[in-house]
Amino acid sequence: MANGGGDPVILATAGYDHRIRFWQAHSGICHRTVQHPDSQVNALDITPDKQLIAAAGYQHIRMYDINSSNPNALINYEGVQKNVTSVGFHEDGKWMYTGGEDHTAKIWDLRSRTLQCQRIFQVKAPVNCVTLHPNQGELYVGDQSGSIHCWDLKTDINEHLIPEPEAAITSVSIDPMGTLMAAVNNKGNCYLWTMTTSRSNGPSNLHPKKKFQAHSKYILKCLFSPDSTLLATTSADGTCRIWRTADLSLCTELKDKSQRWVWDCAFSGDSQYIITASSDNNARLWSVNDGQIKREYNGHEKAVVCLAFRDEVVA
């Protein structure tokens, strides 16, 4: 959570009030608000070089400059059908990936001037989440029908599995070491696999490890900590729960009586803190160890459904 010069901590939140807010993470002060008039914002992510932030909305992705006061999007990716639900970047910033309600995951070459997507992966149901393997060569796509699709970008081979029939996959996370994958669904269940590199062409091999009920209601997000020792799950039950990956025992429950749905979360680089976004129009910074709220970020007028947070130094 260091906020040194040269590479400031970036915290942005967005949701249903058509605004992206940028915050001083340590003070809770909002230092910039960007209007996003066309739609709600469904997902946010920051480019690896910390220069741009992508906002996924209804039928578009907008890219805004993080380090200027320019209120307008620098780049507009249009022509997407329906909501874009997921957005992220290759670690070198060469391309962006998205998922959406149009039953696709897409790859966009950020170096191309055409602003057209280069590759499309078609599935049979709305896509709720897309996650890039740390090896940068596999995309994991979770959909509304309950399938997880494993798309090997090098060979174009894909496989899929259905952990629980007719239970929508809402979020997938792979730990930074690429050895564990978690997926959560709308029934409150969490599934864990160990991952090993495929000996043949194709995506990594998945070995079922555990299924457990993480929440009594709909789970919205799962996320491994940067040190791979923790797994966070956020839910419609008004909590974020943090589990130890070693034995899946409950480490901490983050709960505030006003939160309602907890939509999104992000760990600090040292895995000591976590920020959550919730339906009560607020984001909160919590201590992982004791579950105490350290900071609140107030200012949105409607639900905060997504956030982007980067506190590591970029070389």
Side-chain angles (χ1 to χ4, degrees), residues 22 32 51-53 63-68 70 72 74:
F22 293 86
R32 181 184 173 202
Q51 298 300 306
L52 300 172
I53 189 166
M63 304 271 274
Y64 296 92
D65 189 349
I66 290 173
N67 301 305
S68 83
N70 182 358
N72 301 312
L74 291 185

Side-chain angles (χ1 to χ4, degrees), residues 124-137:
K124 294 179 180 175
V127 170
N128 293 328
C129 56
V130 184
T131 301
L132 180 62
H133 191 291
N135 67 17
Q136 306 297 300

Side-chain angles (χ1 to χ4, degrees), residues 25 34 62 117 127 133 135 150 156-157 170 199 208 219 278 289:
V34 172
R62 304 258 187 270
C117 83
V127 170
H133 191 291
N135 67 17
C150 318
D156 221 25
I157 294 171
T170 51
R199 290 186 179 177
I219 303 179
S278 52
N289 289 333

Side-chain angles (χ1 to χ4, degrees), residues 37-281:
D38 298 338
S39 78
Q40 81 281 0
V41 181
N42 301 316
L44 290 171
D45 200 20
I46 295 162
T47 54
D49 63 7
K50 296 171 86 166
Q51 298 300 306
L52 300 172
I53 189 166
Y58 180 69
Q59 298 186 328
H60 63 256
I61 306 106
R62 304 258 187 270
M63 304 271 274
Y64 296 92
D65 189 349
I66 290 173
N67 301 305
S68 83
S69 57
N70 182 358
N72 301 312
L74 291 185
I75 309 166
N76 295 298
Y77 294 92
E78 308 277 3
V80 184
Q81 299 296 313
K82 305 184 181 178
N83 274 303
V84 182
T85 55
S86 192
V87 62
F89 295 97
H90 181 272
E91 66 180 2
D92 293 337
K94 294 175 183 173
W95 44 263
M96 172 176 71
Y97 61 87
T98 60
E101 291 178 351
D102 62 353
H103 300 198
T104 68
K106 294 185 170 84
I107 289 178
W108 310 75
D109 186 341
L110 299 179
R111 300 163 298 181
S112 165
R113 295 184 179 180
T114 64
L115 304 186
Q116 302 293 317
C117 83
Q118 271 61 44
R119 298 176 73 178
I120 297 176
F121 181 70
Q122 188 83 36
V123 299
K124 294 179 180 175
V127 170
N128 293 328
C129 56
V130 184
T131 301
L132 180 62
H133 191 291
N135 67 17
Q136 306 297 300
E138 301 167 31
L139 280 180
Y140 288 77
V141 180
D143 75 24
Q144 193 68 22
S145 74
S147 289
I148 301 170
H149 306 267
C150 318
W151 180 21
D152 185 282
L153 301 176
K154 190 175 178 182
T155 62
D156 221 25
I157 294 171
N158 68 84
E159 298 169 359
H160 83 281
L161 64 154
I162 302 174
E164 190 175 337
E166 296 180 20
I169 299 293
T170 51
S171 181
V172 174
S173 182
I174 299 171
D175 84 298
M177 295 189 296
T179 59
L180 283 173
M181 184 175 90
V184 291
N185 67 25
N186 62 351
K187 303 286 177 71
N189 292 324
C190 178
Y191 290 82
L192 237 71
W193 295 262
T194 55
M195 305 183 87
T196 55
T197 304
S198 174
R199 290 186 179 177
S200 59
N201 285 337
S204 297
N205 295 316
L206 295 171
H207 313 276
K209 179 178 168 76
K210 182 150 179 123
K211 170 201 171 182
F212 68 104
Q213 183 158 23
H215 296 266
S216 60
K217 293 183 179 177
Y218 203 113
I219 303 179
L220 293 139
K221 174 92 173 189
C222 64
L223 182 69
F224 284 102
S225 60
D227 66 6
S228 299
T229 66
L230 303 170
L231 174 68
T233 55
T234 74
S235 170
D237 68 6
T239 70
C240 172
R241 291 179 179 161
I242 299 175
W243 313 84
R244 298 177 185 91
T245 53
D247 58 3
L248 293 174
S249 60
L250 184 62
C251 171
T252 328
E253 182 178 73
L254 309 178
K255 194 171 184 178
D256 184 90
K257 59 182 182 292
S258 69
Q259 273 192 140
R260 310 210 300 277
W261 288 40
V262 185
W263 289 85
D264 199 1
C265 65
F267 281 97
S268 60
D270 61 8
S271 304
Q272 299 294 308
Y273 298 91
I274 191 169
I275 298 178
T276 58
S278 52
S279 283
D280 66 352
N281 311 353

